[in-house]
Amino acid sequence: MKVELQNLTKIFPSRNKNANEEVVAVNDFTFTIPDGTLVGLLGPSGCGKSTTLYMICGLQKPSSGKIFFGDDDVTQLPPENRGVGLVFQNYALYPHMTVKQNILFPLQNLKGADKLSKEQMLERAYEVAKIVQIDNLMERKPSELSGGQQQRVAIARALVKMPRVLLLDEPLSNLDARLRLQTREEIKRIQRETKITTVFVTHDQEEAMSISDMIVVMKLGVVQQIGKPQDVYSSPANLFVAKFLGTPPINVFNGCVKGEKVYIGSEAVADAKGIADQEVSIGIRPEGFILKDDGPFTVNLSNVEVMGRDVSIVATHECSANPTIRAIIDADNVIADDVKTVRFSIKPNKIFLFNKETEERIYVEGK
Ligand code: ADP
Ligand code: MG
């Protein structure tokens, strides 16, 4: 089921009666989620992810804009008539019911033509329990399950009505690191198997990047960039997106363009063909540095961390926007103990320029 968001906007009235400060939680969001894909909604806390999700499921009414499921305009439909499955961060299982009863629950309220016989309900419950691999736990109570198992029950309960769209709001946040990894792979598998169009909300960039076919990066209610995770990482539209994606994060420097060259301090570190002279913010990915004795960029070495496959160089530079710079290089490189400065050349596809005021990307010719 294709899901189309048209100019979706949500404005909340001020919480404080005396202050006239409305909150524009979601601002003019337009995007078509292709049928059968998993889209990750990504951004810091408060950027409007949950509000977007609640508008898609019908728990929140848009202030303006429209939502289509396929060709159906569902904007005015209540949640129960939209055919959506919703999973929250806190799994909200009924504690006094068994796993089986929890999964059966949504089916027991079906009315009219959708009404199922007892046998049909059980069959459906076991079918989804198998998909999420909890069919051996059907007689247990939620308190007898691990966090990961509880979350799988919540997913089964969302799937049992065979939703047209599956909506997940930070579903892994309450799990410990190992379970989080495992469960996110599981969600990806379930989505591939069922091919249900899915929206997955998270503030964790690594989670969104690893699980999504497409990501939508949001900031203060406004969509910043939409694309395949790798494309957004390789070509961020602005400084916010560049900084939000990637671990370790991108290194940011204050510099300038002069005579079609990019300068950090007095050193010309890259070409900037076709760009007028101006001050710029410069982003360099940690993997964008190459150790080179006569390289154009010199940094003060603080520390070298060897981490198996890679070496992480921690350094400082007077033009860095952060206290330290981080460069990831191959473990084959050897750096002597008494070295105080190292020199790098920079991979042209790993350095980005941004407008000093607007922080929008300045695209350099030929890359
Ligand atoms: P996220 O899920 O990305 O953390 P939310 O969608 O929950 O963000 O919130 C977006 C903005 O809308 C925030 O500034 C939040 O305080 C505000 N907001 C959310 N729900 C309400 C509400 N019911 N009433 C007033 N403001 C709200
Ligand atoms: Mg939220």
Side-chain angles (χ1 to χ4, degrees), residues 135-349:
D135 49 317
N136 56 335
L137 305 171
M138 295 295 255
E139 303 305 330
R140 293 206 195 167
K141 294 268 177 67
S143 60
E144 297 165 325
L145 302 176
S146 72
Q149 290 167 334
Q150 289 184 38
Q151 190 56 299
R152 280 191 256 170
V153 177
I155 294 169
R157 199 176 51 178
L159 288 175
V160 76
K161 280 210 281 185
M162 300 186 171
R164 303 196 283 177
V165 181
L166 181 63
L167 305 167
L168 305 161
D169 192 359
E170 312 244 9
L172 309 180
S173 300
N174 286 355
L175 305 181
D176 66 45
R178 198 179 53 81
L179 255 180
R180 202 152 57 219
L181 251 166
Q182 190 187 330
T183 312
R184 98 181 175 206
E185 282 159 18
E186 205 115 290
I187 289 176
K188 183 76 206 168
R189 174 185 63 77
I190 294 164
Q191 197 274 329
R192 283 223 178 99
E193 275 178 20
T194 58
K195 296 195 179 64
I196 297 176
T197 307
T198 301
V199 184
F200 183 101
V201 162
T202 177
H203 62 274
D204 181 330
Q205 58 93 22
E206 197 188 322
E207 199 168 283
M209 298 270 287
S210 65
I211 202 174
S212 312
D213 299 310
M214 303 266 272
I215 55 171
V216 178
V217 185
M218 298 180 74
K219 174 192 171 190
L220 294 172
V222 180
V223 172
Q224 304 292 303
Q225 192 168 1
I226 300 177
K228 288 186 186 155
Q230 196 54 42
D231 292 348
V232 177
Y233 180 81
S234 319
S235 189
N238 59 42
L239 185 57
F240 175 83
V241 174
K243 290 204 288 202
F244 203 76
L245 299 187
T247 38
I250 197 164
N251 301 287
V252 181
F253 301 90
N254 300 306
C256 68
V257 173
K258 216 164 44 189
E260 301 197 328
K261 298 269 179 210
V262 180
Y263 281 84
I264 300 177
S266 59
E267 295 176 312
V269 299
D271 289 331
K273 204 157 169 270
I275 308 298
D277 290 2
Q278 60 190 294
E279 293 204 353
V280 288
S281 292
I282 300 160
I284 307 176
R285 293 273 181 219
E287 68 275 23
F289 297 95
I290 303 165
L291 260 191
K292 205 166 171 220
D293 288 340
D294 60 350
F297 186 41
T298 315
V299 299
N300 304 307
L301 188 63
S302 312
N303 196 12
V304 178
E305 297 169 3
V306 183
M307 301 175 300
R309 196 161 41 94
D310 296 323
V311 172
S312 183
I313 294 181
V314 185
T316 59
H317 190 285
E318 56 181 9
C319 299
S320 172
N322 310 100
T324 57
I325 310 161
R326 215 167 249 278
I328 310 279
I329 56 168
D330 227 53
D332 301 339
N333 291 284
V334 183
I335 298 168
D337 286 343
D338 56 347
V339 168
K340 297 239 163 17
T341 63
V342 288
R343 299 176 72 128
F344 294 116
S345 66
I346 293 158
K347 297 178 190 168
N349 61 341

Side-chain angles (χ1 to χ4, degrees), residues 79-84 104-122 124 160-164:
E80 58 272 22
N81 296 347
R82 291 194 185 193
V84 292
L104 283 171
F105 189 78
L107 297 179
Q108 284 156 349
N109 298 318
L110 293 176
K111 304 256 151 53
D114 294 332
K115 208 168 158 50
L116 298 174
S117 72
K118 244 199 162 108
E119 290 72 35
Q120 285 171 318
M121 282 196 253
L122 269 176
R124 194 75 87 68
V160 76
K161 280 210 281 185
M162 300 186 171
R164 303 196 283 177

